[in-house]
Amino acid sequence: MTTLRAHIFNILYLLWSAFMHIVCLPLLVAPAPAIHAAGKFLIAGSLWLLKVCVGLTMREVGSENLPAGPVLVAAKHQSAWETLYLSWRLNHPAFVLKKELLMIPVFGWFLARVGMIAIDRSGKASALKKMVADAKAIFAQGRPVVIFPEGTRVAPGARMPYQPGIAALYAQLGVPVVPVALNSGLFWGRQAFVKKAGVITIEYLPPIPPGLDRKSFMRELEARIETAAERLAKEP
């Protein structure tokens, strides 16, 4: 039954996404807020399909830790779910993502139009400099920035080194960083066809204030996220 429900979701999700991308093509010449609104509608439909077809829902913990105004969100990355949910939940967020995603026909065009922060992972110092400049421009618009510190999806219980991008943003932007832990990978794995019924927990941890030195910040960020993620991985 779980596999059948996953089949139904995957088919309907693909059809829904294709339909919305085609219908919204004229929005490529519209202002970015209009594209973001259409994206939220697409995501809301996708999350509804996930609930109805798979039986997968979510709960939030610590939403009071999300300050109003520009904020840097550093989230654990276990599945595609958090990219969908945080896009819907936050106020027109800009994600730090690899530039190759912008090359995907249609989907990538929309990403570029809403002002995502695309980075060249081979660019090293120049890429970090551009990322910081782009993030400052996003904050000037009053929008949050979302980054996945490990730089890729990581299975529950596993760890990857935290990348220097988050440290550069923290040092240069001078804003609080909200660590985010979750357990989405228990239900929607990185490359898993089958999505499982259950309740995903996403937890916004207390913000890390600006002003720490690089080592102290990275140590504190990783400790907060990984400790909470390990706890959430043990939840039923």
Side-chain angles (χ1 to χ4, degrees):
M1 181 61 71
T2 297
T3 302
L4 175 60
R5 296 176 74 175
H7 267 297
I8 294 172
F9 167 75
N10 290 332
I11 292 171
L12 293 179
Y13 176 57
L14 178 61
L15 292 174
W16 170 241
S17 298
F19 169 77
M20 284 295 296
H21 278 79
I22 293 171
V23 168
C24 293
L25 274 174
L27 292 180
L28 284 171
V29 296
I35 300 175
H36 183 69
K40 292 189 73 169
F41 184 69
L42 164 62
I43 293 169
S46 302
L47 295 176
W48 180 81
L49 287 173
L50 198 60
K51 177 181 179 179
V52 171
C53 297
V54 178
L56 182 55
T57 59
M58 59 76 58
R59 72 181 184 104
E60 282 191 337
V61 177
S63 57
E64 68 277 4
N65 290 320
L66 280 174
V71 64
L72 182 56
V73 175
K76 189 71 175 175
H77 196 17
Q78 294 182 352
S79 91
W81 179 88
E82 50 269 15
T83 62
L84 292 174
Y85 185 74
L86 290 173
S87 295
W88 177 85
R89 173 66 169 81
L90 302 177
N91 178 31
H92 195 178
F95 284 75
V96 177
L97 46 79
K98 57 185 179 181
K99 70 173 186 177
E100 289 81 3
L101 291 177
L102 302 187
M103 301 175 187
I104 300 175
V106 186
F107 175 69
W109 305 344
F110 282 111
L111 290 180
R113 285 288 292 117
V114 296
M116 297 299 178
I117 301 174
I119 60 170
D120 180 355
R121 292 188 291 187
S122 64
K124 298 182 180 179
S126 60
L128 289 177
K129 185 176 181 179
K130 182 180 184 303
M131 178 184 64
V132 170
D134 290 346
K136 288 181 177 179
I138 294 298
F139 279 169
Q141 301 171 25
R143 299 166 54 195
V145 171
V146 180
I147 185 170
F148 300 117
E150 292 166 289
T152 188
R153 286 172 289 181
V154 180
R159 292 194 184 192
M160 291 284 286
Y162 278 41
Q163 301 300 309
I166 179 62
L169 290 175
Y170 174 77
Q172 296 294 321
L173 298 176
V175 297
V177 173
V178 175
V180 177
L182 42 79
N183 61 2
S184 58
L186 296 177
F187 308 94
W188 184 338
R190 177 179 179 179
Q191 295 178 330
F193 169 81
V194 176
K195 285 77 176 173
K196 301 175 183 178
V199 180
I200 293 172
T201 298
I202 182 167
E203 183 172 349
Y204 309 100
L205 304 164
I208 300 175
L212 296 179
D213 63 81
R214 178 190 176 96
K215 288 185 178 180
S216 298
F217 166 71
M218 292 294 280
R219 183 168 55 248
E220 182 68 17
L221 177 69
E222 185 169 356
R224 291 193 189 189
I225 292 178
E226 296 303 326
T227 299
E230 288 176 7
R231 170 172 45 80
L232 294 177
K234 298 175 183 177
E235 291 191 351

